[in-house]
Amino acid sequence: MTDQQDWGNPSKRKGRLTAVLVLATLISAFGSSFQYGYNVAVVNSPSLFMKAFYNSTYMERYGVPMEEEVLTLLWSLSVSMYPLGGLLGSLMVAPLVNKLGRKGTLLFNNIFSIVPAVMMGVSETIRSYEIIIVARVLVGICAGLSSNVVPMYLGEISPKNLRGALGIVPQLFITIGILSAQVLGIRNILGNSTGWPLMLGLTGIPAVVELLLLPLFPESPRYLLIQRGDDTTARKALQRLRGWEEVDEELSEMRLENQSERAEGQLSVVRLLSQASLRWQLTSIIVMNMGQQLSGVNAIYYYADSIYASAGVQENHIQFVTVGTGAVNVVMTIAAVFIVEAAGRRLLLLIGFGICCAACVLLTIALKFQESLSWMPYLSIACIIIYVIGHAIGPSPIPYVVTTEIFRQSSRPAAFMVAGSVHWLCNFTVGLVFPFLERGLGPYSFIIFSGICLATFIYIWMVVQETKNKTFLEISQMFAKKNKVEIKQAYGDEPLKGSEVGPEDVLSDTAF
């Protein structure tokens, strides 16, 4: 069949990048995901000046300088409240996306960006370091919600042949956010004694852009049809997103999914944990999110400056090396966007975790012998860059894509809630524990991260299956075999045309 014939046949037609789909993707990713990355790195460069502000404010209030232990505690809270807020945001995902929808939740979430942006921006003027700590919790909630809701929204509005590529766009904007904070944090720009409040407050700008522009774009058609039962609005939304009128095929697939889930209703987290038909999916997202965060990526980002210093980089050059690393991260994530549909999710995860495992082993060796061999500091920096490359092509972006794909509409919000909670809890744990690991184990601390990468690699190799270019129901069928559950055929409904899925595939918890 020719391409022209395929174009006229809805069952053979492939989804394409329409203006509506591209703009909805870019606006939601910039307005939400960008802030996650920006706020991960924003306190790194100006930390010395922020600590000086904490100390001078305390001195003004009490007439004595702040004790070192108190300053360390307050700074630790300023850093660690962000992932703690992320955990709180993740716990809010399921109720909000079910009540407000995917797009509605993203719009509501801007409250948790604009308010703390103002709070951090005026913190120096009103002489309050407490307001920064509170604001970091709020902006963490924003990140916790956006890190889960943006991939869910994009996964549901994307055609199946573009779902992987568009699913990586949020991670791309996270890396752009990190890089932006690193560039603005250069001493000559905003990473100085007068510029840091503005640098912290800039996080509100993407939220304002999203608040103004995202209402112009459609809500998830799957949410409208399956959860709201609004067939007309879902059809109009899908027609805008696809750029053609003939969307019956895709709507039929959604209706079929709705039929198979009607008995279940929306799954709570408790019900999700007890579903035999979702056992391997749930285990897989927990393992992938634990592997993503416990693989050492945040140890490298949170403590990048000290790692470069220990690798022998001069203090005034560290900020430029850090920016270079951030640029590598962005470039490799862009590469992942273009190769994920060809290479598949599973292969990128395996390659990524394999590279991270090897890089951590080499980094351990390099840090151990850097004082005895003059060229070892350069090997340390190379290991960090190689690690960033490995993480950017697989472990960073792919778990979000896979979480969207391996759960159906009724279980997806609860699944993202579990995945997000694991993600942020592990993020918080690494930020809290790594300084003690580094002090106690020295260079050997990265061996632990290497072991975690290896364990995640083995699990993915043995358990995780490829999901590219499959419908959500086809992926459910695939996992039904692994979970040893039946696919029941209900009576009297129309089969899905042009699909391998049967007339009314209903997943049951009955074992074979």
Side-chain angles (χ1 to χ4, degrees):
M1 184 177 283
T2 66
D3 289 342
Q4 191 172 2
Q5 287 172 311
D6 284 352
W7 184 257
N9 185 347
S11 65
K12 297 289 183 182
R13 186 187 289 167
K14 283 189 174 182
R16 60 190 174 121
L17 285 172
T18 61
V20 172
L21 181 59
V22 170
L23 289 172
T25 300
L26 294 178
I27 290 166
S28 59
F30 174 66
S32 296
S33 303
F34 177 90
Q35 296 182 66
Y36 173 7
Y38 186 81
N39 286 294
V40 163
V42 74
V43 295
N44 191 16
S45 296
S47 58
L48 290 175
F49 305 105
M50 291 178 69
K51 288 176 184 177
F53 163 68
Y54 286 20
N55 199 22
S56 64
T57 303
Y58 188 90
M59 187 84 170
E60 289 170 12
R61 291 179 187 175
Y62 306 109
V64 292
M66 187 181 286
E67 293 180 10
E68 191 65 33
E69 293 79 7
V70 176
L71 180 59
T72 302
L73 174 62
L74 287 174
W75 183 249
S76 297
L77 286 172
S78 302
V79 174
S80 61
M81 285 299 102
Y82 180 65
L84 186 62
L87 176 61
L88 294 175
S90 294
L91 295 174
M92 296 163 64
V93 168
L96 284 177
V97 296
N98 289 332
K99 179 74 174 175
L100 303 177
R102 283 61 168 148
K103 187 183 82 169
T105 301
L106 291 177
L107 293 171
F108 171 77
N109 191 32
N110 290 311
I111 295 171
F112 298 111
S113 175
I114 295 169
V115 171
V118 173
M119 290 168 68
M120 290 188 288
V122 302
S123 58
E124 188 182 37
T125 305
I126 65 173
R127 308 302 292 171
S128 172
Y129 47 75
E130 295 89 350
I131 202 171
I132 295 176
I133 296 170
V134 174
R136 290 284 288 174
V137 177
L138 295 177
V139 84
I141 292 173
C142 173
L145 280 165
S146 65
S147 65
N148 292 289
V149 181
V150 178
M152 191 189 306
Y153 176 59
L154 297 186
E156 291 183 7
I157 67 173
S158 305
K160 66 180 182 181
N161 60 301
L162 296 173
R163 204 166 51 219
L166 295 183
I168 292 178
V169 171
Q171 182 62 34
L172 172 60
F173 274 84
I174 290 172
T175 63
I176 293 171
I178 291 171
L179 178 61
S180 300
Q182 291 167 341
V183 171
L184 291 174
I186 291 172
R187 295 285 183 267
N188 295 335
I189 305 178
L190 292 177
N192 50 54
S193 59
T194 56
W196 66 263
L198 175 59
M199 187 176 166
L200 266 59
L202 287 176
T203 188
I205 292 176
V208 172
V209 171
E210 182 176 56
L211 202 57
L212 292 174
L213 298 182
L214 193 60
L216 304 176
F217 295 90
E219 175 60 270
S220 159
R222 304 187 79 84
Y223 169 77
L224 292 169
L225 182 68
I226 297 176
Q227 291 179 243
R228 293 272 298 275
D230 190 344
D231 194 295
T232 304
T233 310
R235 178 182 291 275
K236 288 178 181 175
L238 201 56
Q239 286 170 340
R240 286 187 66 199
L241 287 163
R242 298 295 175 262
W244 52 59
E245 295 294 313
E246 201 50 56
V247 293
D248 287 339
E249 182 74 15
E250 204 167 344
L251 286 170
S252 296
E253 186 264 323
M254 292 182 199
R255 291 191 191 99
L256 187 58
E257 183 178 344
N258 187 27
Q259 290 161 6
S260 72
E261 295 186 299
R262 202 175 287 151
E264 294 177 4
Q266 284 299 309
L267 291 184
S268 65
V269 171
V270 174
R271 285 188 64 199
L272 177 71
L273 296 173
S274 63
Q275 287 279 330
S277 61
L278 298 172
R279 187 184 301 121
W280 281 110
Q281 294 98 307
L282 191 62
T283 305
S284 295
I285 64 163
I286 290 172
V287 169
M288 282 188 288
N289 277 278
M290 288 182 71
Q292 181 196 61
Q293 292 300 307
L294 299 180
S295 60
V297 62
N298 286 314
I300 285 174
Y301 281 125
Y302 282 139
Y303 304 100
D305 289 4
S306 62
I307 289 173
Y308 288 133
S310 67
V313 179
Q314 293 179 17
E315 187 177 349
N316 59 332
H317 292 160
I318 285 175
Q319 57 185 339
F320 301 109
V321 178
T322 303
V323 169
T325 307
V328 169
N329 197 7
V330 171
V331 169
M332 293 313 300
T333 308
I334 291 172
V337 170
F338 288 101
I339 64 176
V340 65
E341 295 299 351
R345 290 67 159 141
R346 184 173 180 271
L347 181 61
L348 290 184
L349 282 168
L350 290 171
I351 291 172
F353 277 110
I355 290 173
C356 291
C357 178
C360 283
V361 172
L362 285 174
L363 182 59
T364 303
I365 296 168
L367 291 174
K368 177 68 178 173
F369 293 106
Q370 71 175 0
E371 304 216 351
S372 54
L373 295 168
S374 61
W375 50 272
M376 274 297 175
Y378 302 105
L379 179 60
S380 297
I381 295 171
C383 287
I384 291 174
I385 292 170
I386 290 167
Y387 178 95
V388 167
I389 289 171
H391 215 275
I393 62 170
S396 279
I398 303 299
Y400 299 110
V401 177
V402 174
T403 304
T404 301
E405 292 183 326
I406 64 178
F407 290 93
R408 295 183 297 164
Q409 199 74 14
S410 63
S411 53
R412 194 173 294 124
F416 265 100
M417 197 163 152
V418 171
S421 298
V422 170
H423 171 103
W424 286 101
L425 194 58
C426 292
N427 185 315
F428 178 76
T429 302
V430 170
L432 200 64
V433 171
F434 180 70
F436 299 101
L437 275 179
E438 190 179 35
R439 195 177 307 152
L441 298 175
Y444 297 109
S445 57
F446 283 94
I447 286 291
I448 295 173
F449 298 132
S450 177
I452 291 169
C453 289
L454 180 60
T456 311
F457 178 95
I458 293 168
Y459 178 88
I460 292 166
W461 177 269
M462 296 180 67
V463 175
V464 176
Q465 301 176 68
E466 185 52 64
T467 57
K468 71 171 182 177
N469 211 27
K470 291 181 170 67
T471 67
F472 291 120
L473 271 177
E474 287 166 350
I475 295 167
S476 292
Q477 283 189 312
M478 190 170 68
F479 272 97
K481 295 176 184 176
K482 196 159 196 68
N483 287 314
K484 294 186 168 61
V485 296
E486 271 184 334
I487 303 257
K488 286 186 178 179
Q489 301 284 332
Y491 177 75
D493 288 310
E494 290 293 320
L496 182 62
K497 297 175 185 176
S499 171
E500 296 175 9
V501 183
E504 288 180 42
D505 295 332
V506 182
L507 288 181
S508 161
D509 286 350
T510 310
F512 283 117

